[in-house]
Amino acid sequence: MIGVGWVGLCTAACFAELGHEVYARDILADKVESLTRGEVPMHEPGLPELVERNAGRLTFTTDMGEVLERAELLFCCVDTPPTYSGDADLSRVEAVLGALGDSTHHAIVMKSTVPVGTGISIGRRREGLGYVANPEFLKEGTAVEDFMNPDRVVVGANDGSGAFADRVAALYEPLGAPIVRTDVASAEMIKLASNAFLATKISFINEIANVSEELGADVKEVARGMGLDERIGGKFLQAGIGYGGSCFPKDVSALKQLAGNSGYHFQLLTAVIEVNELQKRRTIGKLQKHLGPLVNREVALLGVAFKPDTDDVREAASLVLAARLQGEGANVRVYDPVAATNASEMLGGARICGSALEALDGAHAAVLVTEWPEFAELDWAGEVGARMATPVVVDGRNFLDRDALRAAGFAYEGIGR
Ligand code: UDX
């Protein structure tokens, strides 16, 4: 594995679990040292145990020479963040290619999400280097489970790299999932199109939620009724305050940008992005409905991470909300079981609290941003109600028991209900 971030580490540990000897190389010496001591630097359920159990088959190193000497397949797992133009920044991928020197007996297996056409362009420049596209579909919080039980594995190769692709496909055979063999550009497109489609599903249900609020329908019931149609499917139909994370926002804008660069205006994705942006801001109106102007109001944000079971705050709705609330003059306090410290610099002047109750104490309103299970277990009718200055809750994930909260005297606002 070249690049031991979240994707590289999960993939390395899972391949080790399948019995392979894995070399994981990163340029950050501190990270390599702490991983060698068995310390996993991110919150991912099951990963520390996997790293510990397979310590004998996992070597963390900064030394590219050692990797080139020992490894047969080089998985490129570096990140490809968006640039100001919305294109993907491929500088780290280029650095990996540079570090390979003029090796021709290896294959690069691209796990990093790259623009469609990247593999072809690398192939043109690096004749003789094998190239296999093998996009990852892991979800943060369930990455180990997703790796071991994939819906499918995509392996893309062009002429000349077929033998390398066979070896990559063979690595995944024990998992028993369908292996989709394609050309490189199609494999690259499968990754971007899959994430764009899932984001579209979320923005679609969020718009149905917004219309349901006006027309008196309940989006939870609507999603249940829609999702049982196998052509639609029930997953990714949960309305909320918008999608975030390191992949969806980046990949949707990368695909839109790629289309634009090729002369095609991808109208649907333009709307998907806009709906998502507006969705985060609708919470402000819901708070104003109950509190009037938000100046000097104390607002508690429950959850900072972009979803539960991760400490990742990239593109999290909490960051936008905290900034918007402060813009309206509110005082913001936040609590998250694992992610708040990661985000402290991005939360403006928000007060970071050590518990949900501390955040709720004296608050005029609570906004549930991330559906951490502990928030459903709070004693809303008792202690929370007694401690809040006014009992107003905006449930950004339709996660709390609406009827119980209303019965306890809360002004409860969900999404699309
Ligand atoms: C996503 C893809 O699912 C994964 O295949 C890819 O490899 C990386 O990007 P991830 O970013 O970990 O994974 O998160 P995911 O669980 O897909 O959720 C993304 C966002 O969508 C979260 O903010 C989540 O809260 C939101 N979401 C998800 C909804 O708002 N509604 C839903 O129904 C599902």
Side-chain angles (χ1 to χ4, degrees), residues 14 66 206 251 301 332:
C14 288
E66 183 183 10
N206 282 339
D251 292 351
L301 298 185
V332 179

Side-chain angles (χ1 to χ4, degrees), residues 136-138 140 191 236-238 243-244 247 306-307:
E136 58 87 17
F137 298 99
L138 309 178
E140 293 185 27
K191 165 72 187 194
F236 282 72
L237 275 186
Q238 284 168 45
Y243 59 78
C247 284
F306 82 97
K307 66 173 189 179

Side-chain angles (χ1 to χ4, degrees), residues 132-155:
V132 180
N134 176 221
E136 58 87 17
F137 298 99
L138 309 178
K139 297 188 290 300
E140 293 185 27
T142 54
V144 174
E145 198 185 314
D146 290 345
F147 186 99
M148 294 299 178
N149 304 289
D151 289 341
R152 80 308 206 180
V153 172
V154 175
V155 178

Side-chain angles (χ1 to χ4, degrees), residues 375-400:
F375 298 146
E377 287 153 20
L378 288 168
D379 179 13
W380 288 94
E383 195 167 7
V384 175
R387 285 208 193 190
M388 287 181 72
T390 49
V392 176
V393 172
V394 178
D395 182 354
R397 300 287 173 189
N398 289 337
F399 182 61
L400 303 173

